[in-house]
Amino acid sequence: MIVESDSEIVADTLLGLCAPPTIVSNVLTSIAYKFQDFRSVQVSHVKRQDNKSAYLLAKFAKEIDNI
């Protein structure tokens, strides 16, 4: 599985390089725990401007959720 995040803190936390921010620690800990279900996991940080597809998809999903 390949995980890309435009948040360097999130990517570093999932890589085990730093402790998760308190406000999202439960979410990131749960995500990291789920990595055990995959044979291979790659986590990387991508710049926000290079991640437009994910941004647009999240924006679309948010609009659907508000309907």
Side-chain angles (χ1 to χ4, degrees):
M1 175 171 69
I2 298 172
V3 178
E4 296 179 334
S5 174
D6 61 8
S7 169
E8 192 168 7
I9 293 171
V10 168
D12 286 349
T13 298
L14 294 175
L15 288 168
L17 301 175
C18 66
T22 305
I23 195 163
V24 292
S25 64
N26 288 340
V27 173
L28 294 179
T29 301
S30 296
I31 291 170
Y33 179 77
K34 283 301 215 178
F35 285 173
Q36 298 176 60
D37 295 343
F38 297 89
R39 199 174 319 144
S40 173
V41 177
Q42 295 176 1
V43 178
S44 63
H45 171 252
V46 293
K47 294 180 180 176
R48 186 164 293 159
Q49 63 267 22
D50 296 335
N51 202 16
K52 283 198 180 216
S53 297
Y55 170 78
L56 292 172
L57 183 59
K59 184 177 176 183
F60 178 72
K62 185 177 177 183
E63 290 173 7
I64 290 175
D65 193 40
N66 290 332
I67 295 177

